[in-house]
Structures are given as C-alpha cells and as structure tokens.
Amino acid sequence: MQKRVYMDHAATTYTKQEVLDEMLPYFKEIYGNPSSVHGFGREARKAVDLARERTAAALNASPEEIYFTSGGTEADNWAIKGVAWANKERGNHIITTSIEHHAVLHTCQYLEKMGFEVTYLPVDSYGLVYPEQVKEAITDKTILISVMFANNEIGTIEPIREIGQIARERGIYFHTDAVQAVGHIPVDVKEMNIDLLSLSAHKFYGPKGVGALYIRKGVKLHPFIHGGAQERNRRAGTENLAGIVGLGKAIELAVANLEESSKRLAAMRDRLISGVLNTIENVRLNGHPTKRLPGNANFSFEFIEGESLLLSLDMKGIAASSGSACTSGSLDPSHVLLAIGLPHEIAHGSLRLTLGDDNTDEDIDYVLEVLPDIVQRLREMSPLFAQNKGGKRYV
C-alpha cells in the first residue's frame, strides 16, 4: 500500500477528534439560534460565550474583544476596511508589507482605488521587515499599520512587539494577520501592543469556515457585514454555532499543548531542512533560519518547475505545496519569494513542506528518501540543468 504523508498543514489541518466531538451536539441536539430568548437559544448562547472566553484566554484578551467571523480572510478585510472607513477624517495612509497574504494585499489595493494611500514595505532576504522601516514610513496621515505575525509561505516570524510599540507610541492602530501564528507560537495581544488580530480555526485543528477578529476595546472601526445585531451590533449574520464551538475547543487544546508541540515540530523541521540541504545540490532554504514557524520548511530548487515537483511527490503519497494554497493555481511565481529577492526562475522551483501533529520521524525519513531522486530525475529533463551542470551552487 502506498505510504501517505501530509505535509501541507499551513494550507489546512484536519479537525481533531476532541473538537469534532464537542461540535456534534450543536448540529442536532443544541441547535437554537443564539439570538433567541427561549431555552434553546440560551443554550446556544452559552456555548458561544464559552468559545469567546476560550479564544480570549488564548490571546490574553477580554471576551468582549473577540468577534467571530467566517475565517481569516473576512477578519483581515474587516480590520483594514473597518479602520480605514471609520478613521478617514484623521488620515488616509496605511502601512503594510510586500509579503502579506492576499487577504491583506488585495484589501489594501481596493482601498487605494477608494482614495487611500498605501505604503508596501520591502523585506530583507529572510523576509523580515525592520521596525525602523515602519517608523520611517509613518506620516501625519497614517491611521493603520498591518504587518503579518508570521509568513504563510516562508515561515518567517516578524518583530511584532517592536512594531506594535511604535504604533502605540504614535497613536496609530496596529493590525496583525496571525492566521499562521495562533496555536503554534505564543501570542499575547497586550504584551505585543496589538490593536486588531485575525485568526482562523482550520489552521490549528479546528473546522473550516470560522475565524475571529480581536478588536481591542476602544478601537474605532465600522462593521463589515450589515444586517442584524449579532456580535454586539458589529458583525451581522446568524452565528455559525457548531463552528464557533469547534474554534473555541481547538484553540484551547492548541494553547495547552503549545510548548510541547512546538519543540517536537521544530526538531523534525530542523532535521528535514538539514537533510535536504546536505543531500541535494543547488537548493536554498527560504525564510529566516531561526526566526521561523516550528513546522515550516520552504526550499527553492534550481532547474526545476514547482508544479512538476508537487505532482511527483503526490505520486509518492506526499502532500506539499509550491507556495500558499490560495495561489497554487497561478502560473506566476510567489510574490513572497520575489519580495525576498529570488529571480523568477528560482522562485518557480519552490517547495513548502509544513509539518503538523500527525507527522512522525518516519515521515521525515520517507521524504528525505524520495525527494533527492525526484529532484535529480526532474533536473535531468531540464535543458537548463544540462547547460549549467557543474556550475556554482545557488545560495
């Protein structure tokens, strides 16, 4: 039987059994509308309140600062558009980075069409943005700074605390897309000076289609979805009851196991990285060598096209990605890899392997066993490889 190895946890995780078990009653037995005043509704409301408390505890926030959404994309849209429209009398300038998720980049591009000005900060070769860059980009019209907590493709963890401090000192709202970070590395909205934070349940073993936006008390922003009075009049629409219950349970489990899980994943990640770099030539590790998510390994292989690499791995039962799952259907190379300075031809040969709780040392062994042969076979089919055989290793 074909061995199957899932190494695409940054795209999505499975839903843990404990999470599913807690969700199931809310599909059939406890199915009231949380906005209803009768007993069925009150039971549902109690479950939503518990999930809100669990989510707040994971972030060191207050329950009344947690607002449930349909996922990270909605949370990003709401944070950025909500602040922009509510504070336009103060200014029209937003600062972000060139390596943000498209949920942030496309939202900022939309606002540019609406008359806002956006500064897209460059990053260094590791994908880091420097706090000094942020400080220098601030003008008297800056109303929002949005910098992701950790990059979804290359795993680099940004200096969030320092950037948040700069924003706080200047009286500017600070939003972070923490979709890849929450449940995997420590996140403390108070200590890190965060005003708004986006998260998504399916990145930490919860269900798809549910997320949350942390909004610090006192932050001025407009509602994103209009209609009913749900989420304290700030986010209309009947609550995704079972999904919210699942998010609450999943984030509680993730934070409880955070230290142990991070250590285990980082050890496997480092063994994977070391094995790839030591057995395959003309390969580069993308992202910071140490300031990176515990389960993220991203490589660029010269003389190879990423899609061919993915298909070859899939034939061996290994699930991976050539970039972010949201853009894997695009023929353009990753905007993140281009932003860290990779030429187009190298960026096209990228491979993202992201580890999770279900991965084992045997999985690492299997990948290290099959990957070198796949790379060699694909390179032998490449005319560029033949032309450059014996050339310098790319670093």
Side-chain angles (χ1 to χ4, degrees), residues 108 210 264:
C108 288
V210 63
R264 193 181 77 88

Side-chain angles (χ1 to χ4, degrees), residues 132-152:
E132 281 301 316
Q133 292 175 275
V134 177
K135 189 181 289 187
E136 291 169 6
I138 293 172
T139 74
D140 57 358
K141 294 182 179 179
T142 306
I143 55 175
L144 177 67
I145 297 168
S146 181
V147 176
M148 69 191 335
F149 206 113
N151 187 263
N152 51 303

Side-chain angles (χ1 to χ4, degrees), residues 30 32-33 36-46:
I30 311 170
N33 188 319
S36 300
V37 297
H38 48 60
F40 291 86
R42 290 196 303 273
E43 275 187 299
R45 171 57 55 193
K46 188 176 178 182

Side-chain angles (χ1 to χ4, degrees), residues 29-248:
E29 296 157 31
I30 311 170
Y31 54 84
N33 188 319
S35 298
S36 300
V37 297
H38 48 60
F40 291 86
R42 290 196 303 273
E43 275 187 299
R45 171 57 55 193
K46 188 176 178 182
V48 171
D49 290 343
L50 176 59
R52 206 183 304 279
E53 289 168 9
R54 286 170 161 174
T55 306
L59 305 176
N60 191 25
S62 300
E64 61 269 20
E65 296 174 313
I66 303 299
Y67 296 82
F68 293 114
T69 68
S70 63
T73 293
E74 183 194 327
D76 284 342
N77 271 260
W78 184 11
I80 297 167
K81 292 175 184 174
V83 166
W85 294 124
N87 296 274
K88 59 182 179 180
E89 75 284 349
R90 286 178 48 209
N92 69 338
H93 181 233
I94 297 168
I95 298 171
T96 188
T97 80
S98 57
I99 62 165
E100 298 295 312
H101 190 278
H102 283 123
V104 169
L105 291 179
H106 289 172
T107 300
C108 288
Q109 289 161 10
Y110 159 80
L111 286 173
E112 284 184 287
K113 294 176 184 176
M114 298 293 112
F116 288 85
E117 295 178 6
V118 182
T119 297
Y120 300 91
L121 295 174
V123 295
D124 69 7
S125 60
Y126 294 129
L128 279 173
V129 62
Y130 296 108
E132 281 301 316
Q133 292 175 275
V134 177
K135 189 181 289 187
E136 291 169 6
I138 293 172
T139 74
D140 57 358
K141 294 182 179 179
T142 306
I143 55 175
L144 177 67
I145 297 168
S146 181
V147 176
M148 69 191 335
F149 206 113
N151 187 263
N152 51 303
E153 293 192 37
I154 59 175
T156 298
I157 300 169
E158 302 296 343
I160 294 302
R161 182 184 292 103
E162 294 86 346
I163 296 171
Q165 182 64 35
I166 291 168
R168 186 65 53 86
E169 289 170 355
R170 299 292 293 270
I172 299 165
Y173 289 140
F174 177 47
H175 165 252
T176 185
D177 175 346
V179 165
Q180 293 290 335
V182 171
H184 302 288
I185 54 178
V187 177
D188 186 322
V189 294
K190 290 179 182 173
E191 185 201 352
M192 297 177 172
N193 307 295
I194 297 168
D195 297 308
L196 304 110
L197 177 146
S198 307
L199 62 89
S200 187
H202 76 106
K203 303 296 188 179
F204 47 83
Y205 307 95
K208 296 172 182 63
V210 63
L213 178 64
Y214 157 77
I215 307 171
R216 183 178 59 79
K217 189 176 181 182
V219 169
K220 184 180 176 186
L221 88 167
H222 282 179
F224 181 58
I225 296 177
H226 300 89
Q230 291 88 357
E231 291 301 278
R232 303 181 296 292
N233 286 302
R234 296 185 98 168
R235 198 272 187 184
T238 300
E239 295 90 343
N240 174 5
L241 180 57
I244 289 169
V245 168
L247 186 156

Side-chain angles (χ1 to χ4, degrees), residues 305-315 318 320-322 351:
E305 201 278 314
E307 292 296 314
S308 300
L309 187 55
L310 287 186
L311 290 171
S312 298
L313 287 168
D314 188 43
M315 290 174 67
I318 300 168
S321 170
S322 61
L351 174 68

Side-chain angles (χ1 to χ4, degrees), residues 362-375:
E362 289 72 26
D363 293 339
I364 304 298
D365 293 337
Y366 182 60
V367 171
L368 292 176
E369 176 190 329
V370 303
L371 184 59
D373 290 341
I374 290 174
V375 170

